[in-house]
Amino acid sequence: LKCVAHSAASGCALDRSKLALHPDPFGKMGLKMRFFHPMWFTRYYWGTLALINLGGFLADQQYGVDRSKNPNIMWPWWHEIMRKKEKGEIPMEMPGYMLAKYRNETEEKWTSQRSSEFEGFLNVMEEE
């Protein structure tokens, strides 16, 4: 609202004619609450994803989950196969699926087709 008179003696008299023309559309105590306001997607969708991510991070920190990537810890059996190939105990061209303990149907078929090539090395991992 604008001041109509700017004199030091009278202070600031408000223009009350504009108040009658434009009543408060939002009620007496401020804005109405709307569920889908213009920024609902940004606020609620991305905010929810951020809270989920933050919650996961805080849980990892609280319980001491180690997120470092160390292949020597995760795949020790594969590294054992690689060391045997480096020493010459297993031929380098022998496929890894032939040494695996469990195979799917396709790997079983391939193993049966190529078992004559590597028949002396099929049980190398079980001999220890």
Side-chain angles (χ1 to χ4, degrees):
L1 298 173
K2 291 183 184 178
C3 288
V4 176
H6 292 287
S7 66
S10 66
C12 181
L14 296 175
D15 187 3
R16 303 223 180 256
S17 63
K18 292 189 178 183
L19 284 175
L21 296 175
H22 302 289
D24 186 9
F26 302 114
K28 292 183 179 180
M29 295 300 292
L31 298 174
K32 282 185 184 176
M33 184 61 191
R34 293 188 305 177
F35 184 70
F36 290 110
H37 54 81
M39 300 293 287
W40 73 270
F41 182 81
T42 304
R43 181 175 294 168
Y44 297 115
Y45 180 76
W46 295 117
T48 302
L49 286 180
L51 282 175
I52 290 169
N53 198 4
L54 180 64
F57 173 76
L58 292 175
D60 288 351
Q61 294 296 311
Q62 181 177 359
Y63 293 107
V65 176
D66 185 21
R67 293 291 181 188
S68 63
K69 306 293 184 208
N70 189 345
N72 293 322
I73 293 172
M74 299 300 291
W75 301 98
W77 60 273
W78 184 253
H79 289 285
E80 182 182 344
I81 292 172
M82 293 297 108
R83 299 301 83 81
K84 287 188 178 208
K85 284 187 173 190
E86 288 170 358
K87 290 178 187 174
E89 297 174 17
I90 303 171
M92 286 298 267
E93 64 272 359
M94 184 173 185
Y97 64 82
M98 294 183 96
L99 298 168
K101 192 172 185 178
Y102 302 102
R103 298 183 206 99
N104 60 27
E105 291 177 13
T106 310
E107 291 167 344
E108 286 289 344
K109 181 181 76 171
W110 294 337
T111 302
S112 65
Q113 290 172 357
R114 298 187 68 188
S115 62
S116 60
E117 290 179 58
F118 305 105
E119 60 183 75
F121 304 101
L122 288 176
N123 297 326
V124 169
M125 298 307 292
E126 297 168 4
E127 291 175 359
E128 295 178 10

